[in-house]
Amino acid sequence: MASIATATFADRLAEAVERKRSQLVVGLDPRLDLLPVELRGEAVLGRAEAANAYARFCCGIIDAVAPYVVAVKPQVAFFEALGGDGISALERVCHYGRAAGLLVIADGKRGDIGSTARAYAAAYLEPHDEHEALADALTVNTYLGGDSVEPFLQACRLYGAGIFCLVRTSNAGAGDVQELTLSDGRRVWQHVAALVGEWGADLIGERGLSSVGAVVGATVPRAVAEARKLLPRAVLLLRADVARAFTSGPASALVTASRSVIFAYRGSTEDWRGAAGAEAARLRSDVWSVSGW
Amino acid sequence: MASIATATFADRLAEAVERKRSQLVVGLDPRLDLLPVELRGEAVLGRAEAANAYARFCCGIIDAVAPYVVAVKPQVAFFEALGGDGISALERVCHYGRAAGLLVIADGKRGDIGSTARAYAAAYLEPHDEHEALADALTVNTYLGGDSVEPFLQACRLYGAGIFCLVRTSNAGAGDVQELTLSDGRRVWQHVAALVGEWGADLIGERGLSSVGAVVGATVPRAVAEARKLLPRAVLLLRADVARAFTSGPASALVTASRSVIFAYRGSTEDWRGAAGAEAARLRSDVWSVSGW
């Protein structure tokens, strides 16, 4: 298995996408008020119990969706809201996901400078003592510029980690900063996309994709096509399936779905695990067929 | 003490600055390799022991500097690098700081959208069960725009919390995004500053300052003067003392010092607590006299 350990994140991802014929990533966004009733009762007793319920829920979802997805994407904030107990639960979930053969993308949107950025890289992307890294990849905010990203790039080089840089998000407020027009006519996010391409240029694996990817809000289809053009080597992390995102190969885009999968039981007569598995299976086929591979 | 609970963050800060005649904030950036030898021996045994050493170190620093500072600013990343144990240590440190009568500014540079942003606000700025909020204020990254900031503003309104938005940082890479020139001739960071002013407009307390502050890298003195002009009501969080930052009142800027205080023992013959206290006392006087109040 030595080759796995030294393979780039992008190569590991591409291998998994082709083997499983899936570009689907399930977001693990546990929320107390949406947990199945069998877990909710325990969860209201206190933070430690809620954290335990989150871990049990997410591990159950991992079991259910594992055949259909290439990665899970735990949303750090929901665990962080439960303090130290929550982060311990996140650790359990990440280890469980990796043990299930899935890639783990920690959705933390971290970004800071100098030794602080190094600490975030260590927290998420680097092995410690005898333990493997918490995650395979981390989402990163680049408002602080290139030197703030360097410690994460270092983890990509040394440990085969990956990052997904925020480029153009899909929320209403994205226009406030990302869509501002620069003096050269480009948008801020287009400039950020170009930077992301530069940062990832020396991290391109054997399959032609870089371990430095980009988060692009696919509710803006024009932005996806432009991002694809600006970042031909990047893996795009999308929130909906857009055919033209996949033109750089089957693993050149990933589609995330969170609540529609993990809380699928709420609109179903099935058990929560079964409902999540069925919805993941359906989405995986949809996305694969849209991707054209 | 009912008035304390409902006072705005900015009013609580202004009261503390004037009472203590200090604008100094000590950053709590614990690092294994820089810990005093009496704590380092324990810390190398494992993560739980390292987290315990971080907590003991930071609580010792709080005891030493409390008379001279208005706030402590724990850097979340260093705790996060120790996983769940680290975050439990952060909780101990934050509670200890507040019990010592200090304001606590969690330096997390968080930013996300929708329910995720709400989870970060809950994690840092909102009380839960019978527990007070972890921190009085949080540093926030605004690349995702206004709706990503709204949950934090809500915590400011409901719970008297504060935020410090990243505007212009002092690192070399800050130019990559923040210094880009917009089509109207302004820099990206100047536009962000204007947004921060808008977001904070309805959170101005009785002392005339807003609970929505700004992080400005004071290694760029021009930027500090411009930020002061763009944000007359904001509390500026600086990394060095710049006289013209204080023109909106004694509490209109805070100066942070981290390693120079907490690791002052390394260039001293004093005990680590004594060295930190002496350095904090010295800096507090320097800053107060520069501020001109």
Side-chain angles (χ1 to χ4, degrees):
Chain A
M1 299 295 275
S3 67
I4 297 293
T6 52
T8 69
F9 170 73
D11 281 342
R12 289 186 289 141
L13 177 69
E15 186 278 322
V17 164
E18 289 168 32
R19 176 169 43 83
K20 301 183 92 168
R21 299 176 65 83
S22 173
Q23 297 109 339
L24 187 63
V25 175
V26 164
L28 302 174
D29 298 14
R31 285 187 40 182
L32 272 189
D33 52 330
L34 300 177
L35 287 184
V37 68
E38 69 189 79
L39 295 171
R40 216 182 307 157
E42 170 193 12
V44 296
L45 297 175
R47 278 189 156 191
E49 291 81 2
N52 190 43
Y54 277 14
R56 285 172 56 201
F57 176 66
C58 292
C59 293
I61 294 288
I62 288 169
D63 286 338
V65 304
Y68 314 112
V69 306
V70 284
V72 285
K73 181 175 70 66
Q75 175 47 261
V76 180
F78 294 110
F79 296 92
E80 206 165 334
L82 297 178
D85 294 323
I87 298 299
S88 297
L90 172 69
E91 294 175 313
R92 277 170 64 190
V93 170
C94 290
H95 294 312
Y96 196 86
R98 301 188 78 176
L102 301 178
L103 295 167
V104 173
I105 302 169
D107 197 353
K109 301 188 177 66
R110 298 299 193 255
D112 212 306
I113 59 180
S115 61
T116 309
R118 283 203 299 279
Y120 281 128
Y124 291 96
L125 301 178
E126 297 178 4
H128 64 95
D129 308 330
E130 281 86 57
H131 300 278
E132 61 180 4
L134 191 63
D136 296 282
L138 176 69
T139 56
V140 167
N141 186 317
T142 67
Y143 183 69
L144 297 171
D147 55 355
S148 76
V149 180
E150 180 51 38
F152 299 113
L153 300 178
Q154 187 72 359
C156 294
R157 289 183 206 112
L158 292 179
Y159 304 111
I163 59 172
F164 292 92
C165 300
L166 298 184
V167 167
R168 173 64 169 89
T169 55
S170 54
N171 56 313
D176 287 342
V177 181
Q178 300 164 31
E179 282 288 348
L180 296 174
T181 305
L182 297 172
S183 57
D184 64 6
R186 290 185 303 168
R187 306 294 182 129
V188 166
W189 76 261
Q190 293 169 324
H191 177 86
V192 171
L195 289 174
V196 169
E198 288 170 27
W199 297 331
D202 71 343
L203 278 158
I204 295 170
E206 293 174 9
R207 314 279 191 119
L209 292 170
S210 174
S211 293
V212 179
V215 176
V216 180
T219 50
V220 195
R222 179 185 54 79
V224 175
E226 285 179 36
R228 180 74 293 160
K229 217 164 136 188
L230 290 164
L231 290 166
R233 304 292 198 158
V235 179
L236 305 183
L237 191 61
L238 312 174
R239 288 182 75 181
D241 45 326
V242 179
R244 48 194 155 180
F246 295 95
T247 52
S248 296
S252 66
L254 300 172
V255 174
T256 67
S258 302
R259 273 184 245 175
S260 66
V261 173
I262 69 175
F263 301 125
Y265 82 94
R266 294 169 65 90
S268 155
T269 53
E270 270 188 280
D271 157 75
W272 57 275
R273 294 177 196 78
E279 180 62 10
R282 193 186 67 73
L283 278 175
R284 170 241 203 169
S285 301
D286 280 3
V287 175
W288 188 264
S289 84
V290 165
S291 79
W293 293 90
Chain B
M1 300 293 278
S3 67
I4 296 292
T6 52
T8 69
F9 170 73
D11 281 341
R12 290 187 289 141
L13 177 69
E15 185 279 322
V17 165
E18 289 167 32
R19 176 169 42 84
K20 300 182 93 168
R21 300 176 65 82
S22 173
Q23 296 110 338
L24 187 63
V25 175
V26 164
L28 302 174
D29 299 15
R31 285 188 40 183
L32 273 188
D33 52 331
L34 299 178
L35 287 183
V37 68
E38 69 189 79
L39 295 170
R40 214 181 309 157
E42 170 193 13
V44 296
L45 297 176
R47 276 189 158 192
E49 292 81 2
N52 189 43
Y54 277 13
R56 285 173 56 201
F57 177 65
C58 292
C59 293
I61 293 288
I62 287 170
D63 287 336
V65 304
Y68 315 113
V69 306
V70 284
V72 285
K73 182 174 71 66
Q75 175 48 259
V76 180
F78 294 111
F79 296 92
E80 207 165 335
L82 298 179
D85 293 323
I87 298 300
S88 296
L90 172 68
E91 295 175 313
R92 276 170 64 190
V93 169
C94 289
H95 292 143
Y96 197 86
R98 300 188 78 175
L102 301 178
L103 294 166
V104 173
I105 302 169
D107 197 353
K109 301 188 177 66
R110 298 299 192 253
D112 212 306
I113 60 180
S115 61
T116 309
R118 283 202 298 279
Y120 281 128
Y124 290 96
L125 301 179
E126 297 178 5
H128 65 94
D129 309 328
E130 281 86 57
H131 300 278
E132 63 181 3
L134 192 63
D136 296 282
L138 175 69
T139 56
V140 167
N141 187 317
T142 67
Y143 183 69
L144 297 171
D147 57 354
S148 76
V149 180
E150 180 50 36
F152 299 113
L153 300 179
Q154 187 72 358
C156 294
R157 288 181 206 113
L158 291 179
Y159 304 111
I163 58 173
F164 292 92
C165 299
L166 297 185
V167 168
R168 174 62 169 88
T169 54
S170 54
N171 57 312
D176 287 342
V177 181
Q178 301 163 30
E179 282 287 349
L180 295 174
T181 304
L182 297 171
S183 57
D184 64 5
R186 288 185 305 169
R187 306 295 182 128
V188 166
W189 74 262
Q190 293 169 324
H191 178 85
V192 171
L195 289 174
V196 169
E198 288 170 27
W199 298 330
D202 72 344
L203 278 158
I204 294 171
E206 294 174 9
R207 313 280 191 118
L209 291 169
S210 174
S211 292
V212 179
V215 177
V216 180
T219 50
V220 195
R222 179 185 54 79
V224 175
E226 286 180 37
R228 179 75 292 160
K229 216 163 136 189
L230 289 165
L231 290 166
R233 304 291 199 161
V235 179
L236 305 183
L237 191 61
L238 311 174
R239 288 181 75 182
D241 46 326
V242 179
R244 48 194 155 179
F246 295 96
T247 52
S248 296
S252 66
L254 300 172
V255 174
T256 67
S258 303
R259 274 184 244 174
S260 66
V261 173
I262 69 176
F263 301 125
Y265 82 94
R266 293 169 65 89
S268 156
T269 53
E270 271 188 280
D271 157 74
W272 57 275
R273 295 176 195 78
E279 180 62 10
R282 193 186 67 73
L283 278 175
R284 170 241 202 168
S285 302
D286 280 4
V287 175
W288 188 264
S289 84
V290 166
S291 80
W293 294 90

